[in-house]
Amino acid sequence: MHTGLEGKHIVITASTNGIGYAAAKMFIEEGAYVVINGRNADILKERCRILEKEYGDGCVLGFCGDAAKESDIAALKKYVNEKFGKIDCLVANAGSGRPIAESRLMITEWEAGFDINLFSTVRLIHEFEDMWNSGKKGNIVLLSSLAACDRIGAPYAYAAAKEGIRVLTKYLSDDYALHGIRVNCVIPGNVLFSGGRWEELMESNKEETERYIQENVPLKRFAEPEEIAAAIIFLASDLASFITGTSLVVDGGQKRGIA
Ligand SMILES: NC(=O)c1ccc[n+]([C@@H]2O[C@H](COP(=O)([O-])OP(=O)(O)OC[C@H]3O[C@@H](n4cnc5c(N)ncnc54)[C@H](OP(=O)(O)O)[C@@H]3O)[C@@H](O)[C@H]2O)c1
């Protein structure tokens, strides 16, 4: 199958681990050039070293910065402009479901939740508006969450911000279609990996966490980051050339509603 990703220039935020890192690897395997991002400079450097060792020099660049910070997103754009001069695909992957405040109704919780889960995405897309490879097809993949579809016990602000991502996907896809840019969204279920949120929950309460998965996920297991990354790659590829404005659920069957 021809993904059409060879030689494409891709930017993925929050991609030194988990879903973003798995997606970076898959894009590179398809012959794309990828900028990965994280806040810890040492881990970022190490990830770039591993990827270059496996796939060859020049397949990846690292940008150290906080995807929730306006100034860091502006610096990322400057960096990508210097290195690539244009982009073919943006993956707005930064997000966090970790509770911040004591109460789910505290405004600090909502401000932080919206900042990392929704505003970071809006800023990224806005900042990169003039970077698209003009005259060619481009696309954007956003990351939502099952928390935006069902009441699954996530922080309120996280669920609301991730629903905002789905709304943004639909509205933006209309306007960007005029420029040949597709906009889609992936809705992951529960993804387990070393260093991720679900590993923390497994460590703090293994029995309850495992019971939650057994009782709520028809496939009765966590997702691997690669299983979510595969959906990102598909939506970003030519295989999805007629798909825009879509939210693709990858949750082992957990979403309850039919719509
Ligand atoms: N994991 C799940 O079960 C799950 C479920 C549904 C939706 N999602 C969504 O999927 C996306 C990816 O989640 P994930 O769990 O794979 O990743 P993650 O564990 O939250 O983050 C992956 C890596 O990205 C870096 N990172 C985190 N926040 C960052 C920031 N503000 N700026 C720059 N880099 C940052 C971290 O490295 P540094 O600490 O070095 O920055 C981290 O190691 C998120 O939008 C999340 O909400 C995840």
Side-chain angles (χ1 to χ4, degrees):
M1 273 189 286
H2 183 64
T3 60
L5 291 167
E6 193 173 354
K8 293 287 163 70
H9 294 86
I10 322 270
V11 176
I12 314 174
T13 55
S15 43
T16 49
N17 201 3
I19 297 167
Y21 184 65
K25 269 177 100 164
M26 286 188 185
F27 275 120
I28 293 169
E29 277 165 9
E30 290 299 315
Y33 301 104
V34 179
V35 171
I36 62 169
N37 156 247
R39 292 162 300 182
N40 183 309
D42 292 338
I43 292 173
L44 181 69
K45 210 170 147 194
E46 179 59 8
R47 294 299 199 213
C48 288
R49 192 192 64 75
I50 292 169
L51 289 171
E52 285 204 317
K53 191 170 171 223
E54 194 166 349
Y55 301 104
D57 289 348
C59 64
V60 66
L61 291 165
F63 178 82
C64 188
D66 188 339
K69 275 196 191 153
E70 196 172 354
S71 56
D72 286 7
I73 290 297
L76 170 64
K77 149 69 180 304
K78 192 165 175 279
Y79 179 78
V80 174
N81 199 17
E82 279 164 17
K83 299 291 180 185
F84 287 170
K86 62 184 170 59
I87 51 162
D88 300 289
C89 175
L90 262 186
V91 182
N93 180 59
S96 173
R98 283 184 179 80
I100 290 149
E102 280 165 35
S103 159
R104 292 182 162 191
L105 289 173
M106 282 176 87
I107 287 301
T108 46
E109 169 93 6
W110 285 74
E111 284 170 345
F114 269 62
D115 231 18
I116 183 61
N117 290 297
L118 183 58
F119 299 159
S120 67
T121 296
V122 175
R123 279 195 196 105
L124 183 77
I125 295 167
H126 187 234
E127 192 68 48
F128 277 81
E129 269 202 314
D130 62 355
M131 283 281 300
W132 292 99
N133 199 356
S134 60
K136 294 204 178 157
K137 292 174 221 153
N139 74 84
I140 302 175
V141 183
L142 311 185
L143 268 293
S144 178
S145 163
L146 196 60
C149 310
D150 281 343
R151 200 169 66 82
I152 56 169
Y156 301 165
Y158 178 71
K162 289 298 195 183
E163 177 64 351
I165 293 288
R166 294 207 306 162
V167 172
L168 178 65
T169 300
K170 194 66 195 157
Y171 275 67
L172 196 64
S173 66
D174 253 20
D175 290 339
Y176 272 33
L178 300 171
H179 308 289
I181 298 167
R182 296 183 295 106
V183 185
N184 290 294
C185 164
V186 174
I187 302 183
N190 317 297
V191 190
L192 183 65
F193 56 90
S194 173
R197 175 75 178 139
W198 281 103
E199 188 193 56
E200 274 174 30
L201 295 172
M202 282 290 275
E203 278 168 6
S204 63
N205 196 339
K206 190 166 189 277
E207 209 176 302
E208 194 185 308
T209 306
E210 277 178 342
R211 191 169 53 241
Y212 173 81
I213 297 295
Q214 290 301 313
E215 288 175 359
N216 291 284
V217 184
L219 291 184
K220 301 208 176 295
R221 64 172 178 84
F222 285 102
E224 307 268 344
E226 289 74 16
E227 292 174 305
I228 312 301
I232 296 173
I233 304 300
F234 166 67
L235 289 171
S237 78
D238 286 353
L239 300 173
S241 55
F242 200 53
I243 300 179
T244 195
T246 283
S247 294
L248 179 54
V249 180
V250 189
D251 69 345
Q254 186 177 359
K255 182 173 168 296
R256 290 204 180 92
I258 289 171

